[in-house]
């Protein structure tokens, strides 16, 4: 088809344009992809077709529509560098060869600069919940696949995220099949829920301590103005703070919760390049307590703090009134409090109460005022559906799950009951 178009047009680029722009020709060569078979061609003809496709795509759609990757550097540093350099010069998108091989989580080298900065496959055995995402493990990581298969005997729940019915999907208890190109949005949504519910709305000690010790989350990020808003830019480094240390351009910065001052912690990339970094390659934080947010606690955190104040004030008032004071709250604030519900107000009783009782009542009302802006708002809902909500059954070896008829949520693994 290409040879016929080139003979007719007399130009390789016009020949390629003629094929891809013609619906019949385009459908014809796309339909045979993946079916095997070879067409003998010379190296000159193959390179000419590739060059024509690049020129046509750049001319028609722009250079940023070109995306590609080079072979793995372990095979040939020259071919790897040549391909990466070529795509960089023409303005294309340089992908990682791991995007094709799918045997390494590319986020590790892209974020941390280190390859394979993840737990080894043997650690899959210790997990109770495993998500296979971005790797068709039985195909691209065949020597490691047995860890995932064997861990399922321990009751591990396995989730597969793949737009197609890939080979690894058959191992999964649940299969999430996002439309191609939307898995990034799915991952961002998952991250948003995690950040909001376990960091912003309230502080969860397990999550909080883990990210402080083992992740890059505490590092400060520069904000760049874009129109009327700001977007995240690069990591803030010591050189941005006029730090003259060796390789300060590669030393990321965090805030110390105890002093609220910026500090450079151990393990920053800049410590690996010079004599000043000797002994500081590790992740030992020492006396530094990373601060995840300088904005203060979220609504849930503030509500919990107010609740603590209510409890402490109530205990102090009870002890002081009974042991050291002569104020009888039964004839004072108790009457005032009951009068609120009867619309029979006695503000004089509260004004005559000791300051501790007044602060206790103020803190309690503040707690109720914060209620609608926290998770406690769900207390006003009626979770009637939970009365019939089944338990999460990961796996069952029994033929029947009890005497009751099967229903959605109770079916055995691999079965689906029509709704």
């Amino acid at each position: 088809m290409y040879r016929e178009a080139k003979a007719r047009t007399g130009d390789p680029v016009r020949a390629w344009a003629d094929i891809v722009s013609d619906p019949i020709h385009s459908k014809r060569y796309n339909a045979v992809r993946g079916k095997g078979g070879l067409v003998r061609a010379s190296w000159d003809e193959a390179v000419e077709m590739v060059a024509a496709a690049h020129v046509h795509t750049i001319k028609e759609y722009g250079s940023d529509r070109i995306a590609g990757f080079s072979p793995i550097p372990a095979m040939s540093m020259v071919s790897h560098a040549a391909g990466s350099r070529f795509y960089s010069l023409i303005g294309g998108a340089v992908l990682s060869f791991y995007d094709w091989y799918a045997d390494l989580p590319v986020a590790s080298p892209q974020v941390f600069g280190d390859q394979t900065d993840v737990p080894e496959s043997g650690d899959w055995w210790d997990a109770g919940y495993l998500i296979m995402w971005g790797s068709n493990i039985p195909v691209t990581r065949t020597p490691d696949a047995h860890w995932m298969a064997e861990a399922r005997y321990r009751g591990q729940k396995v989730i597969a995220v793949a737009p197609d019915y890939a080979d690894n999907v058959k191992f999964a208890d649940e299969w999430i099949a996002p439309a191609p190109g939307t898995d990034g949005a799915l991952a961002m949504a998952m991250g948003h829920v995690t950040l909001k519910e376990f960091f912003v709305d309230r502080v969860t000690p397990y999550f909080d301590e883990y990210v402080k010790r083992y992740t890059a989350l505490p590092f400060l990020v520069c904000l760049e103005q874009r129109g009327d808003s700001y977007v995240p830019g690069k990591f803030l480094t010591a050189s941005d703070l006029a730090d003259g240390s060796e390789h300060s351009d590669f030393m990321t910065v965090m805030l110390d919760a105890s002093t609220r001052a910026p500090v450079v912690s151990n393990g920053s990339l800049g410590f690996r390049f010079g004599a000043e970094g000797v002994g500081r390659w590790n992740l030992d934080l020492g006396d530094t307590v990373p601060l995840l947010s300088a904005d203060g606690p979220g609504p849930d955190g503030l509500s919990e703090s107010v609740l603590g104040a209510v409890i402490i004030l109530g205990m102090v008032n009870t002890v002081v009134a009974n042991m050291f004071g002569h104020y009888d709250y039964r004839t004072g604030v108790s009457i005032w409090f009951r009068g609120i519900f009867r619309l029979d107000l006695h503000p004089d009783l509260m004004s005559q109460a000791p300051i501790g009782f007044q602060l206790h009542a103020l803190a309690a009302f503040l707690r109720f005022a914060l209620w609608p802006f926290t998770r406690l708002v769900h207390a006003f809902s009626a979770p009637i559906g939970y009365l019939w909500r089944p338990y999460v059954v990961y796996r069952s070896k029994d033929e029947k799950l009890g005497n009751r008829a099967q229903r959605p949520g109770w079916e055995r693994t691999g079965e689906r009951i029509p709704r």
Side-chain angles (χ1 to χ4, degrees):
M1 190 161 44
Y2 171 77
R3 293 165 181 167
E4 184 276 328
K6 180 183 175 183
R8 179 163 39 83
T9 61
D11 181 79
V13 177
R14 285 201 294 267
W16 184 262
D18 180 76
I19 295 173
V20 298
S21 60
D22 186 290
I24 298 177
H25 288 166
S26 179
K27 181 179 180 180
R28 179 183 167 191
Y29 84 84
N30 281 316
V32 296
R33 283 180 173 175
K35 293 185 177 180
L38 298 172
V39 176
R40 184 176 294 277
S42 65
W43 279 107
D44 290 341
E45 187 177 37
V47 171
E48 181 184 270
M49 290 178 62
V50 172
H54 278 70
V55 173
H56 169 71
T57 303
I58 294 174
K59 180 180 178 181
E60 189 71 20
Y61 305 104
S63 60
D64 61 337
R65 300 297 92 184
I66 300 289
F69 59 90
S70 294
I72 185 171
M75 295 177 60
S76 171
M77 290 297 294
V78 174
S79 61
H80 170 72
S84 300
R85 182 65 173 162
F86 170 70
Y87 275 100
S88 298
L89 289 174
I90 67 174
V94 181
L95 303 179
S96 165
F97 43 85
Y98 288 115
D99 295 329
W100 176 256
Y101 301 144
D103 61 349
L104 175 76
V106 294
S108 295
Q110 289 173 350
V111 175
F112 300 108
D114 290 332
Q115 291 190 12
T116 323
D117 188 26
V118 292
E120 65 175 6
S121 304
D123 290 335
W124 298 348
W125 175 266
D126 299 320
Y129 194 93
L130 183 69
I131 301 179
M132 296 185 290
W133 195 342
S135 178
N136 187 0
I137 293 177
V139 177
T140 63
R141 302 186 65 171
T142 307
D144 302 328
H146 71 94
W147 290 110
M148 179 271 299
E150 292 162 3
R152 298 178 74 242
Y153 287 104
R154 301 179 65 245
Q156 181 186 86
K157 186 167 186 179
V158 179
I159 309 298
V161 181
D164 60 336
Y165 191 79
D167 195 44
N168 65 314
V169 172
K170 67 175 180 285
F171 292 101
D173 296 288
E174 299 289 346
W175 173 29
I176 301 176
T182 64
D183 54 341
L186 174 62
M188 293 179 67
M190 294 169 62
H192 172 79
V193 171
T194 301
L195 288 173
K196 185 176 187 302
E197 295 190 2
F198 297 100
F199 292 94
V200 178
D201 290 346
R202 60 190 174 99
V203 176
T204 308
Y206 178 86
F207 284 78
D208 190 69
E209 293 300 321
Y210 183 88
V211 299
K212 287 179 179 178
R213 294 183 61 187
Y214 301 114
T215 76
L217 192 60
F219 291 126
L220 299 176
V221 176
C222 298
L223 295 180
E224 300 175 357
Q225 188 167 5
R226 182 178 297 174
D228 296 331
S229 61
Y230 290 88
V231 296
K234 70 178 188 67
F235 280 120
L236 181 71
T237 62
S239 62
D240 296 324
L241 303 178
D243 188 324
S245 302
E246 184 182 18
H247 303 301
S248 58
D249 287 339
F250 299 94
M251 295 181 182
T252 47
V253 179
M254 65 174 65
L255 290 179
D256 187 353
S258 57
T259 62
R260 292 204 166 236
V263 296
V264 177
S265 65
N266 288 344
S268 289
L269 191 61
F271 289 129
R272 303 190 180 192
F273 300 146
E276 292 185 9
V278 175
R280 301 195 63 182
W281 289 20
N282 58 74
L283 299 179
D284 185 9
L285 294 172
D287 296 330
T288 301
V289 180
L291 185 66
L292 296 182
S293 175
D295 192 37
D300 277 7
L302 180 59
S303 177
E304 291 170 0
S305 300
V306 174
L307 175 60
V310 173
I311 296 173
I312 293 174
L313 285 170
M315 294 173 60
V316 170
N317 288 335
T318 301
V319 172
V320 171
N322 290 333
M323 298 182 63
F324 306 103
H326 304 284
Y327 178 74
D328 186 1
Y329 65 88
R330 298 176 185 82
T331 60
V333 293
S334 293
I335 298 175
W336 166 83
F337 182 71
R338 291 194 296 270
I340 295 176
F341 297 96
R342 299 197 303 266
L343 300 181
D344 182 17
L345 305 181
H346 297 278
D348 55 309
L349 296 176
M350 177 53 74
S351 64
Q352 297 170 6
I355 185 64
F357 286 89
Q358 295 179 4
L359 292 175
H360 183 247
L362 182 63
F365 281 120
L366 179 59
R367 165 78 167 171
F368 287 118
L370 290 172
W371 191 307
F373 304 99
T374 66
R375 291 184 173 203
L376 292 174
V377 70
H378 297 296
F380 294 108
S381 62
I384 299 177
Y386 276 78
L387 298 176
W388 295 276
R389 182 174 181 267
Y391 296 107
V392 178
V393 181
Y394 285 179
R395 186 172 289 105
S396 173
K397 298 180 181 179
D398 298 330
E399 291 297 327
K400 290 188 64 178
L401 301 178
N403 296 323
R404 60 165 43 176
Q406 291 194 40
R407 53 195 175 90
W410 291 91
E411 65 269 16
R412 298 184 67 227
T413 302
E415 298 179 359
R416 288 293 181 269
I417 299 176
R419 295 179 181 271

